[in-house]
Amino acid sequence: MCGICGEVRFDGGAPSASAISRMMDALSPRGPDGEGIVSHGNAGFGHRRLRIIDLSEKAQQPMVDSALGLTIAFNGCIYNYPELRAELEAKGYSFFSHGDTEVILKAWHAWGEACVERFHGMFAFVIQERDTGRVVMARDRFGIKPLYIAEKNRVLRFASSLPALLKAGDIDTSIDPAALHHYMTFHAVVPPPRTIINGVRKLRPATIRIIEADGRSTEKRYWDPPYSRNPADAGVSSEEWRDRVHDALRLAVKRRMVADVPVGVLLSGGVDSSLIVGLLAEEGQTGLMSFSVGFEEANGEKGDEFVYSDLIAKKFGTDHHKIFVPSDRLMDALPGTFAAMSEPMVSYDNVGFYLLSQEVSKHIKVVQSGQGADEVFGGYHWYPPLAHSNDVVADYAKVFFDRSHETLKHQLGPDWIGEKDYSRELVAAELMRPGADTPVDRALRLDANVMLVDDPVKRVDNMTMSCGLEARVPFLDHELVELAARIPPEEKLKDGGKGVLKDVARLVVPHEVIDRPKGYFPVPQLKYVAGPYLEMVRDALGSQAARERGLFREDYLDRLLAAPAEHITPLRGSELWQVGLLELWLQTHGI
């Protein structure tokens, strides 16, 4: 929906309008339709707007409710805002606008911290209370909408992207060794509160933070569903689980059509996005726009799945747009892709989403996308080996980690690694905390609450919003996820993974998109780093900035550069692209 930023001071000074303006300029692609700054007392908020709900000026942000003494900067969408508005009106509240932003303000006033538990949607917002001087920060259950924070010398700044905070200045840009360990081990996932640099942190998902007028703050996690069996579900059959998922997913997709502009679908041709299209067709949606992207082949590896997306588009009569990206355009798009990343993200499909978003944003402002289905319904290949695990931490690390701590000791520069295995400790703590029945439940909870947030979800937000395009993810409807968490793992792992979801799909979409090998967003040129891509990476790693940083051992880089295709991670990623991407991102953002 937009980009937010601001500064809150606890040192007696006034917020810097110039710093807020610089952050807003950096966030302009997220909100090309309007901008605003509001400053009161020790806080100044900035906002860049993408008009999707209530297109009038009355919904302009930052929004001030003078009667309640509240100011808000909000990014996202509350899908059930009409129902909440009616409930609030029944309590005596009156409204001056017609969108979801004002509903959040009134909800905070009416229900306090509990308001976030009522929201169906994706959101990051900051509220200032005029009379108490308190500041409230909150983020949705899956961190679909980002919120980065920099705190120094009793001054707090926040923004929807890390690069926006860099533009405000006075940021410690030194590398966080623990975050570097996560990046190199946990498939480039750097969980909150860390980012790759020491001076910027991020609010955890499903978290509300309250900062008192004197700067003291508290955080509360407001959502953490159990991944365990409910005795009331003991007799539920496979067919009944299928029907419950079908109903919940139908509602999730319907909720995400709330907008005052058209909503389309990113259609990969896989079962997840095909299901979204099919369910919208079931609801009677007509004239639906769908979009697919493909790339040139490389090393005999196909670069598109148009045969499947074409099949779905034809079956359901969508207004389908196919975008084919030749190699020269892919290379040209990489600098923009790096600039759009709030943090370094190694997945090849970042550039795919970036180019797709560029084209889609010429036609539409909102799309639904299939992210989250694999993490919620057990679609990845690393779940079945965990079904009978006696050591879920070791077995998860074996199937997901890019490398072990011992291997990493021979790859990172000596200043950047010691004896502490940051990534193994983090994953162990998350896997072994109470609330999950089986090893598969533990892995699904970890992936849905940690990995998903800082890989697929962040990737889609960064790339789509860099083009003023909002992506909505129905598989991360929290009621759907709560249902999925109760379903026995065997219902998910059957049929090659996502079994219960495939059962739903057989009621909706052609079997050809279901009964096929799992596809990924293929960008083969980046998997096999060669030609101009190899030279770009070589230049970045050989630069003066990279040599001064010394993140990687020279002998390790020499091996990678000599034979890129021989160094592939367990999750089929290029080690050279992983280390090169980090350096390219740092240099793109002036670090």
Side-chain angles (χ1 to χ4, degrees):
M1 176 183 174
C2 56
I4 64 174
C5 60
E7 179 176 295
V8 186
R9 302 189 71 105
F10 303 100
D11 61 354
S16 169
S18 61
I20 296 171
S21 293
R22 289 194 296 274
M23 290 191 284
M24 287 175 58
D25 288 344
L27 294 169
S28 60
R30 295 184 69 96
D33 297 335
E35 63 179 90
I37 295 180
V38 169
S39 187
H40 179 271
N42 68 327
F45 292 177
H47 185 270
R48 295 288 316 206
R49 186 181 185 193
L50 182 66
R51 295 177 195 258
I52 291 172
I53 290 176
D54 188 351
L55 310 185
S56 74
E57 292 303 311
K58 291 181 179 179
Q60 191 76 359
Q61 291 193 57
M63 180 176 284
V64 178
D65 189 320
S66 300
L68 299 182
L70 300 174
T71 301
I72 187 172
F74 159 54
N75 172 27
C77 184
I78 307 300
Y79 305 124
N80 64 330
Y81 81 91
E83 296 89 339
L84 293 173
R85 177 182 173 126
E87 193 174 347
L88 289 161
E89 285 176 329
K91 292 172 76 70
Y93 288 92
S94 59
F95 288 79
F96 53 81
S97 68
H98 300 284
D100 51 351
T101 306
E102 190 181 359
V103 169
I104 297 175
L105 279 178
K106 263 67 173 186
W108 170 256
H109 188 267
W111 299 307
E113 293 180 39
C115 72
V116 290
E117 299 170 23
R118 296 171 176 257
F119 296 157
H120 287 277
M122 52 183 186
F123 54 85
F125 64 79
V126 182
I127 293 174
Q128 180 195 29
E129 295 182 339
R130 179 189 62 205
D131 297 335
T132 67
R134 289 200 303 176
V135 171
V136 181
M137 314 177 95
R139 198 173 177 203
D140 67 69
R141 295 165 180 84
F142 293 99
I144 300 167
K145 288 300 163 186
L147 190 58
Y148 291 90
I149 300 166
E151 295 180 80
K152 186 177 181 181
N153 299 329
R154 296 184 58 77
V155 177
L156 180 150
R157 289 174 179 161
F158 65 87
S160 295
S161 78
L162 187 155
L165 289 171
L166 293 177
K167 292 293 185 184
D170 198 24
I171 297 290
D172 176 3
T173 58
S174 62
I175 303 298
D176 180 333
L180 178 61
H181 197 288
H182 297 329
Y183 176 86
M184 292 294 291
T185 306
F186 199 23
H187 203 53
V189 173
V190 178
R194 299 184 189 276
T195 73
I196 198 66
I197 61 174
N198 281 306
V200 176
R201 292 296 182 249
K202 51 199 175 194
L203 189 66
R204 290 179 173 89
T207 297
I208 184 165
R209 179 181 180 187
I210 298 179
I211 310 170
E212 302 296 337
D214 61 4
R216 290 179 297 114
S217 71
T218 56
E219 284 191 6
K220 174 188 173 184
R221 183 172 186 169
Y222 62 83
W223 186 78
D224 187 18
Y227 277 67
S228 56
R229 310 294 80 80
N230 187 328
D233 297 329
V236 176
S237 66
S238 294
E239 291 74 21
E240 189 171 349
W241 283 125
R242 176 200 65 194
D243 293 343
R244 290 183 184 185
V245 171
H246 192 175
D247 290 344
L249 183 57
R250 183 190 292 116
L251 178 59
V253 170
K254 183 178 180 180
R255 279 175 175 149
R256 282 152 185 81
M257 293 303 289
V258 172
D260 292 329
V261 295
V263 179
V265 177
L266 300 183
L267 177 60
S268 69
V271 65
D272 310 327
S273 59
S274 299
L275 248 178
I276 294 172
V277 172
L279 291 171
L280 287 171
E282 277 188 356
E283 288 292 313
Q285 185 80 19
T286 59
L288 182 70
M289 282 193 275
S290 58
F291 304 86
S292 302
V293 65
F295 302 88
E296 288 185 17
E297 293 187 9
N299 283 31
E301 189 170 320
K302 194 167 175 61
D304 70 71
E305 294 192 329
F306 286 152
V307 62
Y308 300 110
S309 56
D310 287 352
L311 178 67
I312 294 299
K314 183 177 180 181
K315 164 77 174 176
F316 295 107
T318 69
D319 178 7
H320 191 52
H321 302 254
K322 284 195 294 188
I323 299 150
F324 179 76
V325 181
S327 288
D328 57 348
R329 189 167 173 219
L330 178 65
M331 185 70 188
D332 291 342
L334 286 175
T337 304
F338 302 148
M341 294 179 183
S342 271
E343 300 173 69
M345 294 181 284
V346 75
S347 296
Y348 309 127
D349 57 4
N350 279 290
V351 69
F353 274 108
Y354 178 72
L355 286 164
L356 180 60
S357 300
Q358 283 186 334
E359 294 301 318
V360 174
S361 63
K362 297 175 183 177
H363 302 274
I364 207 164
K365 284 187 173 184
V366 188
V367 288
Q368 296 202 36
S369 188
Q371 277 65 43
D374 289 301
E375 293 85 355
V376 172
F377 289 101
Y380 290 127
H381 64 82
W382 54 84
Y383 298 129
L386 301 176
H388 305 290
S389 173
N390 293 316
D391 185 347
V392 66
V393 176
D395 292 340
Y396 181 92
K398 189 184 305 179
V399 294
F400 191 86
F401 279 9
D402 289 333
R403 51 184 61 75
S404 69
H405 181 69
E406 288 304 311
T407 298
L408 193 57
K409 286 181 178 180
H410 301 287
Q411 297 174 349
L412 289 182
D415 293 339
W416 295 103
I417 189 162
E419 294 305 313
K420 188 176 176 66
D421 189 342
Y422 291 104
S423 302
R424 181 72 169 252
E425 289 184 11
L426 180 144
V427 166
E430 180 66 23
L431 285 171
M432 300 312 297
R433 67 184 178 90
D437 281 358
T438 71
V440 173
D441 287 314
R442 293 181 187 279
L444 288 168
R445 182 182 62 182
L446 169 68
D447 286 353
N449 287 282
V450 181
M451 181 272 281
L452 175 76
V453 174
D454 277 287
D455 188 2
V457 162
K458 181 167 64 183
R459 184 189 327 151
V460 173
D461 173 82
N462 285 190
M463 296 304 120
T464 55
M465 291 302 291
S466 73
C467 303
L469 177 68
E470 178 177 288
R472 299 176 174 181
V473 279
F475 287 102
L476 297 185
D477 182 279
H478 75 270
E479 290 183 347
L480 176 65
V481 174
E482 289 167 356
L483 169 64
R486 300 200 331 257
I487 298 174
E490 52 269 25
E491 291 290 334
K492 300 168 192 170
L493 298 185
K494 69 182 184 182
D495 202 9
K498 286 192 295 196
V500 66
L501 191 64
K502 289 176 180 177
D503 290 345
V504 174
R506 294 185 198 286
L507 303 177
V508 181
V509 301
H511 71 87
E512 291 91 339
V513 303
I514 305 168
D515 301 316
R516 68 180 183 95
K518 179 174 174 57
Y520 292 89
F521 214 145
V523 192
Q525 291 96 333
L526 298 184
K527 181 175 179 180
Y528 304 100
V529 184
Y533 307 101
L534 177 58
E535 293 310 307
M536 176 182 64
V537 170
R538 189 191 306 276
D539 289 346
L541 292 171
S543 67
Q544 182 178 347
R547 290 197 303 271
E548 290 176 353
R549 255 190 282 274
L551 297 179
F552 307 105
R553 290 172 56 122
E554 288 294 331
D555 58 341
Y556 174 55
L557 295 180
D558 289 343
R559 291 196 301 274
L560 295 185
L561 291 165
E566 294 180 11
H567 299 275
I568 304 297
T569 70
L571 293 180
R572 301 185 294 185
S574 162
E575 289 187 43
L576 179 59
W577 183 249
Q578 185 176 35
V579 301
L581 184 278
L582 174 56
E583 193 58 52
L584 285 161
W585 183 87
L586 291 169
Q587 293 177 24
T588 296
H589 295 285
I591 298 174

